[in-house]
């Protein structure tokens, strides 16, 4: 075996790969959800050295089954309820395959005009599907992740706050960033990367019941910091926090940001796509106010394989000011005409994948109706699970739970707080060891709670029933 794979060979192996994936989709429910390998097991099954001579692709497929599959946790399993869903779907996989097949790098309009223009168009389609305000039209970009989206937003915010100085001479003044205890760690990470530093990330109080950010405390912190000579750079509000899907009051937060001229980034990584359903549009409240950037991830709940996070900018200029550097070798007529978008200036790396193809495939395959149906199913199943938990003595349910995530815990009579937490974690371990389902925990109101996120395309009511039955059964073993 040597030399490039010919189109004929590609055709043959490619069909085998598609068959392999289709078989996997059919059988994914028969695997234990969480991989059972121990650290080092997969490495130990792999040769220490690369092959000197090329091998047939059959050998790769054989090792995929033998070495790789035991080390895979099955995110597409109907019993996967961990983190947030990372939906894969047929049209998205095929769209991604087409992107790989074309192998273009759409760093600028000129390096593949369709990659740019399709991306702008599908970002507009998604904005329309979600009912986002008109001022985001034509100003969307696909990032690899919500973390990157937040970093880009923060760089734009810094640029605006300092009149372009950070781009030229680095950060010289003290800047501050505002989040709550419930905000995703990606925002603090962005503060570290930008040089603002974790020490300048301010924690805004949350409502003790809903865990939503308190705008009046935000106002107080901003006043205090400005008086002390700091330059507030960015506030991040979250629609659907990762821990419990709390929703920050974006409109009220935006009013505070407007008062101080601070950039407001809205992180709706998981929950934002729920707005495909008109009955969920309440989550967009305030986006028509003072919001500078907004991001949501089709790669979580909207059937588009990782990675695909869409970021919209109300005004892209500060971002372009912060990120655009034009070396001689990238100069071209289209860029100079000012008539095109060069997405290299809308992200950290230069090179970029043609991700719009998979989002385009998904939206066209499902249509608005299909996407709504998928989100509604997740919400309906979560409401059903919540109602079973509510009706079962000896369990505590965290309210509210407007999306696909349900947080709950057993009430352990006679145990103090720490003992109860330990018992809940033991229950979690027993449940996950069953292989039937997989979920994780979080802390809410100071206590460990189980966190069950519904939203996989294969998940049906029967899987949620099985999960709840297993959880109740394993509970009996914890203190037995
Ligand atoms: C998942 C999540 C993120 C991180 O998403 P990535 O795309 O993996 O970076 C950020 N914020 C929230 C609210 C999330 O739920």
């Amino acid at each position: 075996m040597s030399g490039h794979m010919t189109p004929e060979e590609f055709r043959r192996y490619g069909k085998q790969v598609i068959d392999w994936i289709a078989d996997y989709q059919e059988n994914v429910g028969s695997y234990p959800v969480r991989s059972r390998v121990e650290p080092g097991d997969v490495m130990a099954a792999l040769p220490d050295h690369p092959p000197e001579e090329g091998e047939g692709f059959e050998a790769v497929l054989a090792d995929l089954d033998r070495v790789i599959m035991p080390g895979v946790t099955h995110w597409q399993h109907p019993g996967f309820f961990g983190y947030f869903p990372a939906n894969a779907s047929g049209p998205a996989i095929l769209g991604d395959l087409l992107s790989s097949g074309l192998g273009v790098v759409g760093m600028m309009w000129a390096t593949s005009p369709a990659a740019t223009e399709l991306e702008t168009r599908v970002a507009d389609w998604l904005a329309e599907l979600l009912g986002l305000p008109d001022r985001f039209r034509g100003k969307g970009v696909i990032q690899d992740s919500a973390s990157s989206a937040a970093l880009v937003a923060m760089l734009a915010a810094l640029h605006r706050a300092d009149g372009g100085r950070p781009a030229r001479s680095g950060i010289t003044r003290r800047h501050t960033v505002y989040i709550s205890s419930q905000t995703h760690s990606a925002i603090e990470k962005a503060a570290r990367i930008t040089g603002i530093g974790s020490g300048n990330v301010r924690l805004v109080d949350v409502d003790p019941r809903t865990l939503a950010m308190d705008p009046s405390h935000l106002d107080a912190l901003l006043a205090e910091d400005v008086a002390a000579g700091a330059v507030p750079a960015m506030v991040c509000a979250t629609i659907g926090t990762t821990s419990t899907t709390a929703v920050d009051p974006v409109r009220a937060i935006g009013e505070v940001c407007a008062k101080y001229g601070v950039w407001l980034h809205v992180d709706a990584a998981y929950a934002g796509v729920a707005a495909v359903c008109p009955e969920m549009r309440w989550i967009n409240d305030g986006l028509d106010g003072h919001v500078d950037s907004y991001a949501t991830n089709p790669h979580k709940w909207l059937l588009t394989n990782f990675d695909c996070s869409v970021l919209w900018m109300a005004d892209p200029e500060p971002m372009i000011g912060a990120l655009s550097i034009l070396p001689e070798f990238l100069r071209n007529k289209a860029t100079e005409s000012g008539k095109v978008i060069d997405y290299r200036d809308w992200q950290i790396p230069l090179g970029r994948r043609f991700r719009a193809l998979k989002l385009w495939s998904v939206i066209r395959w499902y249509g608005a109706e299909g996407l709504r149906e998928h989100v509604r199913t997740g919400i309906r199943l979560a409401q059903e699970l919540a109602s079973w938990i509510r009706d079962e003595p000896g369990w505590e349910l965290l309210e509210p739970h407007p999306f696909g995530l349900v947080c709950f815990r057993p009430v352990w009579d006679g145990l103090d707080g720490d003992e109860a937490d330990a018992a809940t974690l033991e229950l979690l371990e027993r449940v996950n060891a069953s292989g039937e389902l997989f979920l994780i925990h979080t802390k809410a109101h100071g206590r460990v709670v189980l966190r069950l996120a519904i939203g996989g395309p294969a998940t049906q009511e029967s899987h949620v029933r099985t999960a709840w039955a297993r959880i109740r059964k394993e509970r009996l073993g914890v203190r037995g």
Side-chain angles (χ1 to χ4, degrees), residues 26 90 137 183 205 260 262 287 313:
E26 269 174 4
R137 298 296 150 88
T183 307
D205 290 346
Y260 295 88
V262 188
L287 296 183
M313 289 280 169

Side-chain angles (χ1 to χ4, degrees), residues 276-304:
V276 290
C277 304
E279 68 275 20
M280 295 302 290
R281 290 275 161 83
W282 58 269
I283 67 172
N284 290 349
D285 183 48
L287 296 183
D288 56 343
H290 175 102
V291 170
D292 295 289
S293 49
Y294 174 86
T296 189
N297 289 356
H299 75 222
K300 279 182 170 166
W301 198 5
L302 208 66
L303 299 160
T304 309

Side-chain angles (χ1 to χ4, degrees), residues 79-117:
F80 184 95
F81 302 114
Y83 312 101
F84 280 132
N87 291 174
S89 73
I93 297 167
L94 294 177
D96 226 3
L97 182 58
L98 290 171
S99 170
S100 295
L102 290 173
V104 304
V105 180
M107 52 195 176
M108 303 183 291
W109 183 90
T111 59
S112 208
T116 296
E117 295 191 13

Side-chain angles (χ1 to χ4, degrees), residues 84 144-148 184 186 238-242 267-270 297 299-300 306 309:
F84 280 132
D144 56 359
S145 65
S147 305
S148 293
H184 196 276
T238 308
I239 296 172
T241 58
T242 314
D267 177 7
Y270 159 69
N297 289 356
H299 75 222
K300 279 182 170 166
F306 193 87
S309 176

